[in-house]
Amino acid sequence: MRLKDFDESGPWRRVRSVHGMAHYSGDYASATTGGQVVYESRLELARLLLADFDPSVCGIYAQPLHMVARIGERVRSHVPDFLLVMRSGTVRVVNVKPASRVQDPKVAQALAWPGQMVERHGWEYEIWSGAAPTLLENIRFLAAYRHPGVVPADEVERAWQEVVDGDELALAERRLAGDRKREEARPALMALLWDGRLTTDLEARPLSGECVLRRRG
């Protein structure tokens, strides 16, 4: 199993949304991949948003492979939810499960053996059950600005040149807006936050004018 084998691969299962389904599935337009990535639940979508926002992630594959192994006297199979490729060269296989289900011994066992196989292969393994609600809400908001061109590039670059390290968001907006309404300058700053050139504490509170901006790079 080599990373390059995934270059032209598609999801192992076909994801379909049917009226009355208990799960929430769909396609997410990823800024990282430049294409659609499938998900099968809101929790999977949350993990996908975090991966797309993470500057250390350069590749995302959904349902990347079908694993089969003999465990004891049984042949077991498993399709992980995501495979993430890091800029460092590290590969991480991710399974997404609600915390309540991970506590079930049968579910825990079903998730354990794939992890053992992945780690023997030299890759990382993650069982993900959620993140801080404030962090997720902030990233969902910033995701509206994730694609190049949503905010004109010249406006984003002007904001980058004018924002001062340590500015509160409201102050940066007022300086950038000039004679315009403050809110008109906000999209460029949001695009910089999504891009990671600006950072702020996204876990402590919802995004507001009091958030302190830090320049990166």
Side-chain angles (χ1 to χ4, degrees), residues 58-72:
C58 63
I60 306 172
Y61 299 90
Q63 301 175 14
L65 66 153
H66 184 209
M67 305 172 68
V68 180
R70 180 175 292 279
I71 308 298

Side-chain angles (χ1 to χ4, degrees), residues 15 21 27 35 48 52 77 97 117 125 144 170:
V15 176
M21 280 179 61
D27 296 309
L48 189 48
D52 207 29
S77 64
K97 281 288 182 291
M117 291 184 65
Y125 183 63

